[in-house]
Amino acid sequence: MEQVHLLIKNAKVFNSYLKKFISANVAVKDGKFYYIDRKQDTDLQTDNVIDAKGSYMIPGLTDIHMHIESSMATPAFFGKCAGENGVTTVVSEPHEMANVKGIRGILEMISAAKNAPIDIFYGIPSSVPSTSEKLETTGGIIDCSAMKHLLEEKDVVCVGEIMNYRQIIRENDLEISRFLEYLKKDHPGYVIEGHCPSLLDLDLAKFLYLGINGDHTEHTLEEVKQRIENGMFFEIQDKMLKPEILEYICQNQLYEYCSFVTDDTMADVLYEQGPLNAVVQKAIDMGFPMEQAIYCATYTPCQRMHFYDRGAIAPGKLADFMLLKDPSVLKPEAVFKNGVPIYAKDEPQLPLSASTYEFPADFYRSVQLPDIFLKDFQVNAPFQEGYATVRVIEINPDRTHTTEKLVEMPVKAGKICWENSGCLLAMVVERHGKNGNIGYGFLTGSCLKKGTVATTYFHDHHNLFVAGSSPDDMLFAVNRIRELQGGFLTVKDGRILSELALPVCGLLSEESIRENGLALKAVRKSLTDLGYVHNNPIMSVATLGLPVSPALKLTDKGLVDVKKGEIVPLIVNTKKNK
């Protein structure tokens, strides 16, 4: 009698090719599916039999566009959480870590993933910095030679999202442009991920012409139509779960050309809702056909990434799967990786040790701030008395895109008096130990009404950002971030209201997902209590310095007009007192 390692009996098995469930016994041999026995009458020898008792069996979920740094956890802790939710393969794009530590940061993330219970692959960060050294200071730079080096890493499977999307269709002397030319000649067909919000018509065609054929960003229905019609693979994240988008995909049977992804999942959302399974669950709840949702979370992402060894329950495929009581409720009873159980609902889960992986010593000393004094929290004007019209970043409550607003503020003794203007003072302090720059700006709209927020988790350059209504509190917050060597916190009246320490490169915590999640939830609540009105205040704060996201953003170099791609002056015009 033939020997196998595992036999799952009496399961309702999802067939990816038929997109339906079929009753079968499933045999696993050497970590791969061996035989899917529909007749359920084949005798196979094994010491390990699981009676599924009619439970549903689906392939492990695959998330092909995400950033582990968004979880604010190390790869091992993220992998544990993902595995417990049925996600067995992810492709992470570590451009956050690359912005702090360059290619060393990427290689350390790859090494740190070895202890994870799931497969963690990586994309090559292609936009570090996201714009240029003229607009932002980063700790690391990924040039064409670094990209070629990363191409040789066995766990690297694609080019990560190309974010300088308007620049790349106008210029061909960029580092990423040179790398794309190299790929075209030496690695044709290599997977290249894009990031191109709002590109349409000829501009979109120019982007696609470069070989960039995947997109995951937020779009209108027309933008989605143009992408799919032009052969772009479309990755659906949570904020794209819009009725009109899902209806368009379903009505036109476009399941082959899309998959579900998470992109950025904050620590508290990850802890309370889960990773990719939460996005897929929301789609199902919104009416996306359950079988097609499973298909777009397992088979199509694997095809996109050329993972031909997984994504389906079929002979020769990796035995990555989960067992469910109800496939329309993606909460697994058990999860297996390579035929080995990594999660069982009714069994206690062993905690990961905080010392699972130790990063180099300098990764814990990455916040190298210049000396900051109370006088630095003043904004100088080019004259002594009068009024200045200044550019202000207006925060919108339902998106991370900002708008520019002009506000007149009085000037006294050569300083802008902003305190009664309805605006907050905002500063970005270069923290990579390179130049000590401080960029100044103001915030209004759906932001804090009182108190202070500070963070080093600040896309994508991850310099220190602080904004508030009190210079004393702002200085206190900056010094606390320095002491923690990175974090996300709120302060009011000289007291810390909430705090998440991020000592690994100012981005990651070595605590569990639960600890990170609870701490970040407290920060989120504190922001709301202080008046921040937004559907995701954490991400709103974290992207106020992202110079590829419209319309006005703040870096250590100053205010960036994203559409123009240039630094613009804070003061627009002045009226001097005679």
Tab-separated table of all heavy atoms in Angstrom, residues 446-476:
chain	number	residue	atom	x	y	z
A	446	SER	N	-9.204	68.581	8.720
A	446	SER	CA	-9.625	67.484	9.596
A	446	SER	C	-8.525	66.994	10.524
A	446	SER	O	-8.497	65.822	10.895
A	446	SER	CB	-10.134	66.329	8.738
A	446	SER	OG	-11.269	66.709	8.004
A	447	CYS	N	-7.610	67.866	10.906
A	447	CYS	CA	-6.491	67.464	11.754
A	447	CYS	C	-6.803	67.728	13.224
A	447	CYS	O	-7.946	68.015	13.598
A	447	CYS	CB	-5.231	68.208	11.331
A	447	CYS	SG	-5.389	69.991	11.403
A	448	LEU	N	-5.767	67.624	14.064
A	448	LEU	CA	-5.916	67.914	15.488
A	448	LEU	C	-6.469	69.317	15.697
A	448	LEU	O	-6.159	70.241	14.950
A	448	LEU	CB	-4.568	67.828	16.190
A	448	LEU	CG	-3.751	66.537	16.108
A	448	LEU	CD1	-2.408	66.766	16.763
A	448	LEU	CD2	-4.492	65.402	16.772
A	449	LYS	N	-7.251	69.457	16.729
A	449	LYS	CA	-7.710	70.786	17.136
A	449	LYS	C	-6.924	71.285	18.344
A	449	LYS	O	-6.938	72.451	18.687
A	449	LYS	CB	-9.207	70.750	17.458
A	449	LYS	CG	-10.069	70.277	16.282
A	449	LYS	CD	-9.905	71.182	15.062
A	449	LYS	CE	-10.729	70.687	13.882
A	449	LYS	NZ	-10.138	69.521	13.228
A	450	LYS	N	-6.231	70.367	18.991
A	450	LYS	CA	-5.411	70.685	20.161
A	450	LYS	C	-4.420	69.546	20.329
A	450	LYS	O	-4.564	68.481	19.729
A	450	LYS	CB	-6.278	70.803	21.420
A	450	LYS	CG	-7.183	69.585	21.637
A	450	LYS	CD	-8.190	69.813	22.739
A	450	LYS	CE	-9.133	68.600	22.824
A	450	LYS	NZ	-10.168	68.786	23.856
A	451	GLY	N	-3.394	69.767	21.148
A	451	GLY	CA	-2.425	68.709	21.396
A	451	GLY	C	-1.392	68.595	20.288
A	451	GLY	O	-1.323	69.408	19.359
A	452	THR	N	-0.586	67.528	20.385
A	452	THR	CA	0.546	67.313	19.477
A	452	THR	C	0.625	65.849	19.070
A	452	THR	O	0.344	64.957	19.878
A	452	THR	CB	1.864	67.726	20.175
A	452	THR	OG1	1.883	69.146	20.313
A	452	THR	CG2	3.085	67.287	19.388
A	453	VAL	N	1.014	65.618	17.823
A	453	VAL	CA	1.310	64.266	17.340
A	453	VAL	C	2.723	64.272	16.791
A	453	VAL	O	3.170	65.265	16.204
A	453	VAL	CB	0.302	63.810	16.257
A	453	VAL	CG1	0.322	64.734	15.042
A	453	VAL	CG2	0.583	62.370	15.835
A	454	ALA	N	3.454	63.180	17.005
A	454	ALA	CA	4.810	63.055	16.476
A	454	ALA	C	5.051	61.607	16.074
A	454	ALA	O	4.545	60.681	16.726
A	454	ALA	CB	5.847	63.492	17.512
A	455	THR	N	5.838	61.412	15.005
A	455	THR	CA	6.119	60.052	14.549
A	455	THR	C	7.342	60.016	13.650
A	455	THR	O	7.665	61.005	12.976
A	455	THR	CB	4.918	59.462	13.794
A	455	THR	OG1	5.179	58.091	13.474
A	455	THR	CG2	4.632	60.226	12.500
A	456	THR	N	8.020	58.873	13.645
A	456	THR	CA	9.049	58.582	12.642
A	456	THR	C	8.501	57.651	11.576
A	456	THR	O	9.200	57.346	10.605
A	456	THR	CB	10.283	57.928	13.286
A	456	THR	OG1	9.850	56.843	14.133
A	456	THR	CG2	11.075	58.928	14.095
A	457	TYR	N	7.276	57.185	11.773
A	457	TYR	CA	6.625	56.354	10.751
A	457	TYR	C	5.947	57.327	9.784
A	457	TYR	O	4.770	57.647	9.915
A	457	TYR	CB	5.610	55.400	11.394
A	457	TYR	CG	5.037	54.423	10.401
A	457	TYR	CD1	5.695	53.230	10.123
A	457	TYR	CD2	3.865	54.710	9.707
A	457	TYR	CE1	5.188	52.341	9.187
A	457	TYR	CE2	3.363	53.829	8.781
A	457	TYR	CZ	4.019	52.657	8.519
A	457	TYR	OH	3.534	51.791	7.577
A	458	PHE	N	6.745	57.824	8.816
A	458	PHE	CA	6.315	58.967	8.015
A	458	PHE	C	6.758	58.730	6.577
A	458	PHE	O	7.908	58.929	6.221
A	458	PHE	CB	6.939	60.243	8.599
A	458	PHE	CG	6.287	61.514	8.155
A	458	PHE	CD1	4.941	61.736	8.376
A	458	PHE	CD2	7.020	62.506	7.528
A	458	PHE	CE1	4.332	62.921	7.981
A	458	PHE	CE2	6.433	63.688	7.132
A	458	PHE	CZ	5.090	63.903	7.358
A	459	HIS	N	5.812	58.277	5.758
A	459	HIS	CA	6.102	57.846	4.381
A	459	HIS	C	6.732	58.943	3.538
A	459	HIS	O	6.335	60.081	3.597
A	459	HIS	CB	4.799	57.421	3.694
A	459	HIS	CG	4.174	56.196	4.259
A	459	HIS	ND1	4.754	54.951	4.167
A	459	HIS	CD2	3.011	56.010	4.914
A	459	HIS	CE1	3.965	54.056	4.733
A	459	HIS	NE2	2.903	54.680	5.208
A	460	ASP	N	7.656	58.537	2.637
A	460	ASP	CA	8.372	57.274	2.619
A	460	ASP	C	9.778	57.474	3.183
A	460	ASP	O	10.501	56.521	3.417
A	460	ASP	CB	8.497	56.750	1.181
A	460	ASP	CG	7.301	55.984	0.677
A	460	ASP	OD1	6.497	55.524	1.493
A	460	ASP	OD2	7.162	55.832	-0.552
A	461	HIS	N	10.149	58.753	3.356
A	461	HIS	CA	11.499	59.061	3.832
A	461	HIS	C	11.662	58.775	5.315
A	461	HIS	O	12.763	58.568	5.801
A	461	HIS	CB	11.838	60.520	3.541
A	461	HIS	CG	10.728	61.466	3.877
A	461	HIS	ND1	10.477	61.912	5.163
A	461	HIS	CD2	9.766	62.042	3.098
A	461	HIS	CE1	9.453	62.737	5.162
A	461	HIS	NE2	8.983	62.835	3.912
A	462	HIS	N	10.554	58.763	6.057
A	462	HIS	CA	10.543	58.424	7.486
A	462	HIS	C	11.462	59.309	8.317
A	462	HIS	O	12.133	58.847	9.242
A	462	HIS	CB	10.844	56.944	7.685
A	462	HIS	CG	9.807	56.067	7.056
A	462	HIS	ND1	8.510	56.022	7.505
A	462	HIS	CD2	9.854	55.267	5.960
A	462	HIS	CE1	7.811	55.205	6.730
A	462	HIS	NE2	8.593	54.756	5.787
A	463	ASN	N	11.456	60.601	7.961
A	463	ASN	CA	12.013	61.586	8.874
A	463	ASN	C	11.012	61.826	9.999
A	463	ASN	O	9.891	61.311	9.963
A	463	ASN	CB	12.311	62.880	8.110
A	463	ASN	CG	13.513	62.722	7.201
A	463	ASN	OD1	14.608	62.386	7.659
A	463	ASN	ND2	13.319	62.929	5.909
A	464	LEU	N	11.416	62.594	10.995
A	464	LEU	CA	10.536	62.828	12.144
A	464	LEU	C	9.527	63.928	11.806
A	464	LEU	O	9.907	65.011	11.365
A	464	LEU	CB	11.340	63.224	13.376
A	464	LEU	CG	10.521	63.363	14.675
A	464	LEU	CD1	11.359	62.950	15.865
A	464	LEU	CD2	10.013	64.786	14.880
A	465	PHE	N	8.263	63.627	12.027
A	465	PHE	CA	7.190	64.597	11.817
A	465	PHE	C	6.585	64.957	13.160
A	465	PHE	O	6.334	64.089	14.002
A	465	PHE	CB	6.108	63.991	10.924
A	465	PHE	CG	4.860	64.829	10.823
A	465	PHE	CD1	4.832	65.972	10.050
A	465	PHE	CD2	3.705	64.462	11.506
A	465	PHE	CE1	3.677	66.742	9.943
A	465	PHE	CE2	2.546	65.222	11.416
A	465	PHE	CZ	2.530	66.363	10.638
A	466	VAL	N	6.358	66.245	13.362
A	466	VAL	CA	5.677	66.690	14.578
A	466	VAL	C	4.746	67.832	14.200
A	466	VAL	O	5.092	68.698	13.399
A	466	VAL	CB	6.693	67.123	15.664
A	466	VAL	CG1	7.577	68.268	15.184
A	466	VAL	CG2	5.984	67.492	16.963
A	467	ALA	N	3.542	67.816	14.757
A	467	ALA	CA	2.569	68.880	14.505
A	467	ALA	C	1.777	69.108	15.773
A	467	ALA	O	1.426	68.161	16.488
A	467	ALA	CB	1.627	68.509	13.360
A	468	GLY	N	1.491	70.365	16.071
A	468	GLY	CA	0.743	70.623	17.289
A	468	GLY	C	0.370	72.073	17.474
A	468	GLY	O	0.683	72.944	16.646
A	469	SER	N	-0.275	72.320	18.592
A	469	SER	CA	-0.759	73.654	18.923
A	469	SER	C	0.111	74.349	19.951
A	469	SER	O	-0.104	75.517	20.254
A	469	SER	CB	-2.196	73.552	19.465
A	469	SER	OG	-2.242	72.673	20.592
A	470	SER	N	1.105	73.616	20.498
A	470	SER	CA	1.960	74.176	21.546
A	470	SER	C	3.423	73.842	21.269
A	470	SER	O	3.791	72.660	21.241
A	470	SER	CB	1.568	73.607	22.916
A	470	SER	OG	2.592	73.784	23.862
A	471	PRO	N	4.290	74.846	21.067
A	471	PRO	CA	5.716	74.568	20.872
A	471	PRO	C	6.342	73.790	22.032
A	471	PRO	O	7.208	72.935	21.808
A	471	PRO	CB	6.325	75.975	20.742
A	471	PRO	CG	5.209	76.797	20.166
A	471	PRO	CD	3.970	76.268	20.838
A	472	ASP	N	5.904	74.053	23.251
A	472	ASP	CA	6.454	73.313	24.399
A	472	ASP	C	6.144	71.817	24.279
A	472	ASP	O	7.013	70.968	24.504
A	472	ASP	CB	5.882	73.859	25.715
A	472	ASP	CG	6.429	75.237	26.060
A	472	ASP	OD1	7.656	75.414	25.991
A	472	ASP	OD2	5.631	76.134	26.374
A	473	ASP	N	4.901	71.498	23.932
A	473	ASP	CA	4.527	70.092	23.766
A	473	ASP	C	5.246	69.465	22.575
A	473	ASP	O	5.618	68.284	22.607
A	473	ASP	CB	3.018	69.970	23.576
A	473	ASP	CG	2.257	70.041	24.891
A	473	ASP	OD1	2.907	70.034	25.956
A	473	ASP	OD2	1.003	70.108	24.856
A	474	MET	N	5.432	70.254	21.520
A	474	MET	CA	6.106	69.727	20.331
A	474	MET	C	7.555	69.373	20.647
A	474	MET	O	8.052	68.317	20.233
A	474	MET	CB	6.018	70.738	19.185
A	474	MET	CG	4.593	70.943	18.661
A	474	MET	SD	4.458	72.280	17.455
A	474	MET	CE	5.280	71.548	16.035
A	475	LEU	N	8.235	70.226	21.391
A	475	LEU	CA	9.608	69.934	21.792
A	475	LEU	C	9.658	68.704	22.689
A	475	LEU	O	10.534	67.837	22.539
A	475	LEU	CB	10.207	71.136	22.518
A	475	LEU	CG	11.638	70.962	23.039
A	475	LEU	CD1	12.595	70.634	21.902
A	475	LEU	CD2	12.089	72.222	23.784
A	476	PHE	N	8.701	68.610	23.611
A	476	PHE	CA	8.616	67.437	24.491
A	476	PHE	C	8.444	66.161	23.662
A	476	PHE	O	9.091	65.140	23.917
A	476	PHE	CB	7.447	67.619	25.455
A	476	PHE	CG	7.215	66.452	26.374
A	476	PHE	CD1	8.029	66.249	27.480
A	476	PHE	CD2	6.194	65.541	26.130
A	476	PHE	CE1	7.819	65.167	28.335
A	476	PHE	CE2	5.976	64.461	26.969
A	476	PHE	CZ	6.798	64.271	28.078
